[in-house]
Amino acid sequence: CSVHDWYRLLNSNKYWRMVLNSVKKFLIGSALSLAVVLPTMSHAQAATKIGFVNTERILRDSKFAVESQKKLERDFSKRQKELEDLATKVKAEATKLDKDAITLPEAEKVRRQRDLAEMDRDFQRKRREFEEDLAQRKNQVVGELVERANRVIRQIAEKENYDIIFQEAVYANKRIDITDQVLSSLDNAK
């Protein structure tokens, strides 16, 4: 075929009828596909029940979380007070040493610096142990709360026929937010 033949073919009615028939077949096929698929999709969407739980609110607002936080504060307040007292003592000794350093004999100054360094090491060790113990207890409490919350969420999902319940989302409409229901069930459960 030469260029001239192609030009004549493109300008002929036969070519355009062939193109239009192909386009018509494609559009009819697409319309039929959509006619079959769309009712199925809307039926699937209508049957899907979705929920959302704000985990942050559960961890912050549930009775168990509030009571656990108060218990942690009671359990660790004595050690925290001891740490604060020790920190005040270390700071006072450091201030006193700075003030007296000019008049102290060298041997006394070195001895007090060693004592201060020992006090500071002791304080740092106790502070680190306190923070580790507190973090461990907090993790324990959070783990227990999450376990309880997940159990309640599963019960609600089974009872009310939810297909899926999300605990993390960028956005969730209030219509699907069941956090209040979970909080209520969690607070009433023993």
Side-chain angles (χ1 to χ4, degrees), residues 3-169:
V3 173
H4 183 61
D5 292 337
W6 276 108
Y7 181 74
R8 262 190 329 184
L9 180 63
L10 288 175
N11 286 325
S12 73
N13 287 334
K14 184 179 178 183
Y15 174 78
W16 289 111
R17 268 185 289 190
M18 187 173 67
V19 168
L20 286 174
N21 281 337
S22 296
V23 169
K24 223 187 284 185
K25 286 178 186 175
F26 173 76
L27 290 174
I28 290 171
S30 297
L32 287 174
S33 297
L34 284 174
V36 170
V37 172
L38 280 178
T40 310
M41 284 177 57
S42 64
H43 174 69
Q45 288 174 342
T48 302
K49 191 169 181 183
I50 297 172
F52 169 74
V53 176
N54 185 330
T55 309
E56 184 179 318
R57 277 192 55 212
I58 300 292
L59 294 175
R60 183 188 64 224
D61 297 343
S62 70
K63 283 183 185 176
F64 181 79
V66 171
E67 290 169 2
S68 296
Q69 181 63 32
K70 288 177 182 174
K71 185 175 182 340
L72 281 173
E73 288 171 5
R74 281 192 311 270
D75 292 351
F76 283 86
S77 64
K78 182 181 176 192
R79 282 177 65 188
Q80 185 172 3
K81 176 75 170 113
E82 290 172 359
L83 275 175
E84 289 169 357
D85 292 345
L86 186 55
T88 303
K89 185 177 177 183
V90 169
K91 189 174 181 178
E93 286 295 321
T95 303
K96 185 178 179 188
L97 179 61
D98 286 344
K99 189 174 114 181
D100 297 344
I102 298 171
T103 58
L104 287 175
E106 190 61 31
E108 177 67 14
K109 185 163 67 169
V110 169
R111 184 190 63 77
R112 285 179 57 183
Q113 285 173 337
R114 266 196 311 255
D115 291 347
L116 181 61
E118 183 62 34
M119 280 177 62
D120 188 53
R121 274 193 300 277
D122 186 46
F123 167 72
Q124 297 298 334
R125 180 183 52 78
K126 287 181 179 180
R127 183 181 56 88
R128 194 172 38 256
E129 289 172 356
F130 172 80
E131 289 171 353
E132 288 171 359
D133 291 347
L134 181 61
Q136 182 180 12
R137 284 284 297 280
K138 279 183 178 181
N139 288 339
Q140 208 172 18
V141 167
V142 167
E144 188 177 336
L145 177 57
V146 167
E147 186 178 309
R148 286 181 180 194
N150 284 339
R151 189 171 37 245
V152 166
I153 292 167
R154 272 192 296 281
Q155 290 169 351
I156 291 171
E158 290 169 2
K159 181 181 173 189
E160 298 185 20
N161 296 318
Y162 278 93
D163 294 306
I164 189 165
I165 296 177
F166 293 99
Q167 289 184 324
E168 296 293 327

